[in-house]
Every structure is written in structure tokens, then in C-alpha cells.
């Protein structure tokens, strides 16, 4: 990698990180209950100083218990899907490889369907075993595809 392309890569990566941070910050203030950025940032600043703002208790609940967990979970899920797709493409050395084309999604759905059909009902076992069997089914299909 030449110096110019390395610098371009750093600038691009920094730009995408900045856009992600801006999207996360913007989505904190958007929703059915509008919170102005100044009100939200004032609440966060008071919270970081240790001041308990009693008048804006609803703002804290909305920001920290409703919106922030959803935003972080969405970012984590999107990042995990991106890493999985890039890993499949690198493993198979095919830029067109995706879970639907390879059958990995169908193997995962089969694994989840098996445990749902054979379980006695809605129990903790079904809730725990369903994602595990879905992962195992997808992994088995990927193994068979890779061996082919």
C-alpha cells in the first residue's frame, strides 16, 4: 500500500466513523417525543457532573433507557452482519458470496424450525436452544458448501 492510498484509507475510515457517530447522536434526539439537542445535551452534561435534574426525569428515561440501548443494539447488529458478510467473502474468495446464495440462512432456519417443532412448548429450553441450533445449522451448511 503506497503512502497516498494509506492516507486515503485513514481519511475514509475517519469519515465513516464520524458519520456513524453523527447518526447515533442525531437518532438520540429523534422520535415520537421530540427532545431538542440543547435539552438533551444539557441533561447529559448535568448527569455527567453528578447533578440530578429532577425536572427532566422523563428525558433521562427516554434517552438512557429507551433510545440509547436500541441505537447501540442496532449498531452492534449491523456491525456483526457486516463482519459476517466480509468473512464469508474472504473465506470463499468470492465477492458475490452471501448467506442467502450459499444456503447458510436456510440451514439456520432449518435448525431453528427443528427445535421449535420438537420442543414441548414455549419453555426456557426453546428460547436458549433455538439460536444455538440455528447457528449450528448455518455452520453445517457452510461447512458442506466449503467442502464442495
Amino acid at each position: 500500500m503506497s503512502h497516498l492510498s494509506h492516507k486515503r484509507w485513514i481519511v475514509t475510515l475517519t469519515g465513516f466513523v464520524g458519520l456513524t457517530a453523527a447518526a447515533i447522536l442525531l437518532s438520540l434526539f429523534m422520535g415520537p417525543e421530540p427532545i431538542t439537542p440543547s435539552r438533551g445535551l444539557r441533561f447529559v452534561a448535568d448527569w455527567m457532573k453528578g447533578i440530578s435534574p429532577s425536572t427532566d426525569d422523563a428525558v433521562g428515561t427516554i434517552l438512557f433507557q429507551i433510545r440509547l440501548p436500541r441505537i447501540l443494539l442496532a449498531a452492534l447488529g449491523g456491525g456483526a452482519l457486516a463482519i459476517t458478510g466480509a468473512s464469508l467473502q474472504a473465506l470463499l474468495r468470492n465477492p458475490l458470496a452471501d448467506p442467502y446464495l450459499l444456503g447458510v440462512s436456510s440451514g439456520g432456519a432449518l435448525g431453528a424450525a427443528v427445535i421449535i417443532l420438537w420442543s414441548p412448548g414455549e419453555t426456557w429450553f426453546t428460547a436458549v436452544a433455538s439460536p444455538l441450533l440455528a447457528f449450528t445449522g448455518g455452520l453445517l451448511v457452510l461447512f458442506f458448501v466449503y467442502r464442495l
Side-chain angles (χ1 to χ4, degrees):
M1 197 182 309
S2 70
H3 180 66
L4 183 61
S5 62
H6 183 341
K7 189 179 286 187
R8 183 176 290 168
W9 185 81
I10 294 293
V11 168
T12 303
L13 185 64
T14 305
F16 282 134
V17 168
L19 283 173
T20 303
I24 287 173
L25 190 63
L26 182 64
S27 61
L28 270 176
F29 304 117
M30 295 176 65
E33 176 64 33
I35 298 173
T36 61
S38 62
R39 185 175 166 199
L41 291 175
R42 188 173 53 244
F43 179 84
V44 171
D46 289 345
W47 178 77
M48 290 178 75
K49 291 178 188 174
I51 300 170
S52 177
S54 60
T55 58
D56 283 341
D57 201 35
V59 173
T61 302
I62 291 170
L63 287 179
F64 290 121
Q65 294 181 6
I66 297 174
R67 291 185 186 169
L68 189 62
R70 289 179 184 180
I71 293 166
L72 294 178
L73 187 61
L76 183 66
L81 288 172
I83 289 171
T84 303
S87 299
L88 277 176
Q89 291 174 353
L91 176 69
L92 300 173
R93 295 185 186 126
N94 183 352
L96 298 177
D98 76 331
Y100 300 104
L101 182 66
L102 298 174
V104 175
S105 297
S106 299
L110 177 66
V114 164
I115 195 66
I116 289 170
L117 288 175
W118 286 351
S119 68
E122 288 292 322
T123 62
W124 66 270
F125 177 74
T126 307
V128 171
S130 181
L132 293 175
L133 210 55
F135 179 75
T136 304
L139 202 58
L140 283 172
V141 168
L142 182 61
F143 173 74
F144 289 132
V145 167
Y146 186 71
R147 293 298 295 168
L148 284 174

